[in-house]
Amino acid sequence: LKYSNGHKRTLIDDAGKSALTKFRILNAWDNFSLLEVKILTGRTHQIRAHMKAIGNPLMCDDLYGDGIPFLLSKYKRKYNRDQERNERPLLARTGLHAWKLNFNHPKSGEQMKFEEEMPKDMRAVVYQLDKLNN
């Protein structure tokens, strides 16, 4: 990975620092996948850059993807068109959530562990994708 100051993006580049990302598919739909990702290095925008590099940018990612919010009306055939004018996106931010973090405290060396469930907006997208694809 190599940080590109002009674009404020991390690029895949042989001259850059090495970075390793592992992932597994938890669920897959027509145009989207829910992934569990483990980074084995800690590079700037590592997950975002690696997902873009393999042709699968993160949902709503305005730096590495298209940045387009997830609107249900775009995918649901029988969406109420009268509501479309006032439609709020189910997800309007980069579709990335750190559900589990483990690291050693920098001063005490104590093992720190944190877990947090998927946020409501992301759960809503998963729920709707499940409904649309059944």
Side-chain angles (χ1 to χ4, degrees), residues 29-84:
W29 302 278
D30 290 339
N31 298 310
F32 302 100
S33 298
L34 178 64
L35 306 177
E36 178 179 87
V37 179
K38 183 175 185 177
I39 55 174
L40 301 175
T41 50
R43 307 291 182 215
T44 302
H45 298 177
Q46 180 173 329
I47 294 170
R48 297 166 74 187
H50 280 170
M51 291 300 107
K52 178 177 177 56
I54 63 170
N56 295 292
L58 301 179
M59 183 183 286
C60 307
D61 190 339
D62 62 350
L63 190 57
Y64 294 88
D66 60 18
I68 297 171
F70 185 88
L71 297 170
L72 189 55
S73 62
K74 186 175 177 183
Y75 302 97
K76 188 174 181 181
R77 279 185 232 130
K78 294 183 180 182
Y79 189 82
N80 184 339
R81 298 298 173 204
D82 292 336
Q83 292 178 336
E84 204 169 322

